[in-house]
Amino acid sequence: MMNKPIKVNVQTPKITLQAKAGLEIIQYGTLTVGETTTLAAGENATVLNSGTIENAVLNFGIPKGHDGINGKDGTAATITIGTVTTGEPGSNASVTNVGTDTAAVLDISIPRGDKGVDGTGAGDVIAAADNTFTATNTFDGILKTKSDMQAVGSLPTVLQRGDSNIQTYTLKNGLNRSVVFRDTGDMTGYAKTFIISVARSGGTGTFSIGSNNGIGANTPTVYMVDGALPDIADGEVLKIAMEVNEPANAIFIYILGKVAL
């Protein structure tokens, strides 16, 4: 492919000849860009003067580049995940290439979050007045048990292994009431928790845990985990848990809560 000639006049270097008779001769020439031809890929570039020395016309031959069809495919690059570590809170996440440019192995560091703010709860669990227990502590939704009674005397109410878990008492008039656990059978490895609900309907009688408890052939120690039992006012209900624990030879008393009806 050829392009039209473009004429560019450039003065050639000044040539001075000293004549014998003292005559000075100064000669100038011209330079013109002639045709520009595209050569085949791989050929050498050429510059030819189709004019004269004084009036040069330069014709350029420029080879075209390779089309790339016959080029050699490069090696496919790979990326592999290396180690993933947990950084300290507040540190920067980072990705480091421990491989090469064509076979990258990326080690990643991800900082763990800061510790969250502690919750506002105190950790105490207060049982509601209508607890439902499962497994060995179930009463199948039947609120009345064989130990349900009106407190009409001062003798203690005796609980045993076979008694239902819920025990309800109503303090009448000014009579006092106490509860004990007493079972002389084989109690090895035995543990059971009774839920006891005590209400008051008039009067000033007291409710207490008796001292003549018996677990098998042993006399257990009674531990008041939450302190002494509180007074019960008229119209109030006190709920406690009585845990009988043979391996510890102990009876633990927990105050679950008190509500006004």
Side-chain angles (χ1 to χ4, degrees), residues 13-172:
K14 180 180 178 181
I15 302 174
T16 302
L17 300 176
Q18 189 67 38
K20 290 184 178 181
L23 178 64
E24 186 180 46
I25 300 174
I26 300 175
Q27 181 177 352
Y28 293 90
T30 61
L31 174 63
T32 302
V33 176
E35 298 175 346
T36 301
T37 304
T38 300
L39 305 178
E43 293 188 12
N44 295 326
T46 61
V47 179
L48 301 174
N49 181 10
S50 62
T52 64
I53 295 176
E54 296 84 4
N55 298 296
V57 179
L58 302 182
N59 298 322
F60 292 86
I62 302 174
K64 66 180 179 180
H66 290 284
D67 55 17
I69 296 176
N70 298 320
K72 183 178 180 181
D73 293 336
T75 302
T78 61
I79 298 177
T80 303
I81 302 300
T83 60
V84 179
T85 57
T86 300
E88 292 299 319
S91 62
N92 294 324
S94 64
V95 178
T96 304
N97 181 12
V98 297
T100 65
D101 292 340
T102 57
V105 178
L106 304 181
D107 286 349
I108 303 173
S109 175
I110 303 173
R112 65 171 175 262
D114 292 323
K115 179 182 177 182
V117 179
D118 292 338
T120 58
D124 297 329
V125 178
I126 305 299
D130 56 352
N131 292 293
T132 300
F133 291 83
T134 58
T136 58
N137 288 328
T138 183
F139 53 89
D140 298 326
I142 301 174
L143 295 180
K144 290 186 65 63
T145 72
K146 69 178 185 179
S147 293
D148 287 352
M149 61 177 293
Q150 302 295 317
V152 295
S154 59
L155 294 177
T157 298
V158 178
L159 305 178
Q160 293 181 311
R161 284 174 293 175
D163 285 348
S164 300
N165 292 80
I166 291 291
Q167 315 294 320
T168 62
Y169 309 99
T170 301
L171 299 178
K172 289 282 189 177

Side-chain angles (χ1 to χ4, degrees), residues 137 159 165 179 181 187 189-196 209 213 215 220-225 240-256:
N137 288 328
L159 305 178
N165 292 80
V179 171
F181 178 88
M187 299 286 291
Y190 198 88
K192 183 172 183 177
T193 299
F194 296 92
I195 303 300
I196 300 174
I209 305 299
N213 297 280
I215 301 178
T221 301
V222 177
Y223 296 94
M224 306 297 293
V225 177
I240 66 173
M242 180 177 183
E243 178 191 351
V244 179
N245 192 313
E246 185 277 335
N249 192 33
I251 292 178
F252 301 101
I253 304 298
Y254 305 88
I255 301 174
L256 301 181

